[in-house]
Every structure is written in structure tokens, then in C-alpha cells.
Amino acid sequence: MLPARERLIIALDVDTLKEAEILVSRLQDHVGVFKVGMQLFNSEGPEVVRRIHRLGGKVFLDLKLHDIPNTVGQAAAVLTRHRVFMYNVHIAGGAEMMKKAVEKTVKEAGEAGLPRPLVIGVTVLTSINREILNNEIGIKTGVEEQVVKWAKLARESGLNGVVASPMEIGAIREACGRDFVIVTPGVRPAWAAVNDQKRVMTPREAVEAGASYLVVGRPITGAADPVDAARRIVDEMEEGMKC
Ligand code: C5P
């Protein structure tokens, strides 16, 4: 099992390379992976990935690809060339799209002799509740049922794992097995503000429930002492791993 520190992903939700580099250099020895999402990537482009690598960090590129299979496949090859550790696609894009992403990732990594990124599927966003799922998106099931259905589809399509809310970890673990990667945001230590996250779990609870990686942003990046905050979260994760 990976040590707790390696399983902690920091959300670099900032606009500039400068802010990102400050966080990465401070936190690099204390966390496992840095998540670059649409805010930072759209602002600074692939240079941000190169800089994080130069500082010794691993990158989760959270761009949530969702398009026709050919387009997603071509993007997957590019992301593989960026040597990211992990990237994600929307499961709602369907099995053919996910298979294409995996196929192109494996091909590119093999031909260029690069490490193969983990390909992760986005299930139902945590901002979507049953009412929105049923009435706006038109999917007439409960959220957990849909998350599990999509997680299984992602696994069958060759993805390494999914992103899901802490509340769904147990059901996904049961349906998809021990080796399936579950990445979970919505994590809040008891001592941190909940912010706009609604259904949260503590780091210890999320690890106990079976999460592989935890994504944490503001409780660390907004703390007066981010290194201390990261250490405390890793300690809590270790407690969860003992159970
Ligand atoms: O600051 P905070 O810990 O809430 O950051 C959580 C990170 O995880 C953010 O980058 C957010 O976009 C991301 N995320 C999330 N819920 C999801 C998917 C991603 O909070 N369902």
C-alpha cells in the first residue's frame, strides 16, 4: 500500500505560475501529487506541468476531457507526452471514448518509452444532486446508483479508476474491487472550514472508507502554515490506514 503522503493530492487552484511554484516548492516534500485544473492550465498552459516536474512534483491534470472519441484520443496522446501522472475524462462521454483515451495513452507511452498515466473517470459531479440528475440531465436514477453504474463502465472500458464523492467510496469499492483507483475530493479535517463543499468526510474517514487518493485544496493552500496543515492531514490519513 502506498504511504499516506503519496496518496495526498493538492489542488493548485490558483491563476499564476508564480503562485503555483511557491506552493509546490513548499509542499513537494510533504504531499504526493499536484492537481492542475482548468483554472491554472487555461491561464498558464503546459508550462505549468514542466515547472512542477522541474521542482520534483507529480501532476494530476484535471481537465475532464469530454468529446468525440477521436478528439479525446488525440488529447490523451498529448497529455501522455506531458508525462502527467494522472489525467481524467468524463465517463458520460461513453465507453468508446474512454477506450480510445486508454488506447492512445498506452500506444503513446509505449512508442515514446514514457510512463503510462493513470486514466481516471469523472462520475457524477458532487455539485449534482438527484433533482438535477433526474430533471435537468434526464438520468432517472439515484446519484449513488448512477455513480456505481458509471464506475463499472469505466472499469470495463479500461480506466484505472474514478473521481467520486467520499459518500460513494464504499459502494464503488464493493462494485469495482480492491485495485480500482478511487480519487476523492470533498475532504475536510475537523479543524478546517468546510467552504462550499457540502457532503464532506475527514481524511481519516475517507481513507477508512477505501479512498486511494484524497484531493485537498483550501484547507492546505489557504492555511497560514500549509506545510503544517499537510502534515496534520497525512497524520490523520495514517490513522485511517491502521484500521
Ligand atoms: O479547496 P477544496 O479542497 O474544496 O478543493 C477541492 C478540489 O477538488 C477543487 O479543485 C475542486 O474543483 C475539485 N473537485 C471537487 N469536487 C468534485 C470534483 C473536483 O471539489 N466533484
Side-chain angles (χ1 to χ4, degrees), residues 59 72 81 125:
V59 176
V72 167
R81 288 202 287 279
L125 295 171

Side-chain angles (χ1 to χ4, degrees), residues 132-152:
I132 300 175
L133 189 69
N134 295 174
N135 301 336
E136 295 179 19
I137 303 177
I139 295 175
K140 306 288 183 194
T141 56
V143 171
E144 184 175 299
E145 198 184 326
Q146 188 59 33
V147 167
V148 170
K149 190 174 167 191
W150 269 347
K152 285 183 182 164

Side-chain angles (χ1 to χ4, degrees), residues 27-128:
L27 290 166
Q28 162 55 17
D29 292 337
H30 306 279
V31 306
V33 183
F34 294 94
K35 181 171 89 68
V36 175
M38 56 179 86
Q39 180 186 356
L40 183 56
F41 195 80
N42 282 324
S43 171
E44 298 284 9
E47 180 60 20
V48 73
V49 177
R50 289 190 279 273
R51 297 278 182 99
I52 294 170
H53 286 160
R54 219 174 290 154
L55 290 167
K58 288 192 217 167
V59 176
F60 168 19
L61 205 44
D62 178 19
L63 298 181
K64 300 185 175 70
L65 307 182
H66 189 176
D67 210 314
I68 59 170
N70 182 63
T71 304
V72 167
Q74 304 297 357
V78 171
L79 301 192
T80 303
R81 288 202 287 279
H82 287 331
R83 297 165 194 252
V84 299
F85 170 68
M86 180 187 284
Y87 76 87
N88 56 8
V89 302
H90 270 289
I91 299 169
E96 192 190 337
M97 187 204 79
M98 290 188 277
K99 284 181 187 163
K100 198 56 146 181
V102 173
E103 179 198 315
K104 288 295 218 169
T105 296
V106 170
K107 185 166 181 279
E108 192 66 31
E111 284 175 5
L114 298 170
R116 187 192 300 178
L118 294 174
V119 187
I120 302 294
V122 178
T123 58
V124 179
L125 295 171
T126 45
S127 52
I128 305 287

Side-chain angles (χ1 to χ4, degrees), residues 11 13 35 126 185 188 197 215-219:
D13 292 330
K35 181 171 89 68
T126 45
R188 285 293 179 271
Q197 295 284 7
V215 178
V216 181
R218 290 161 291 181

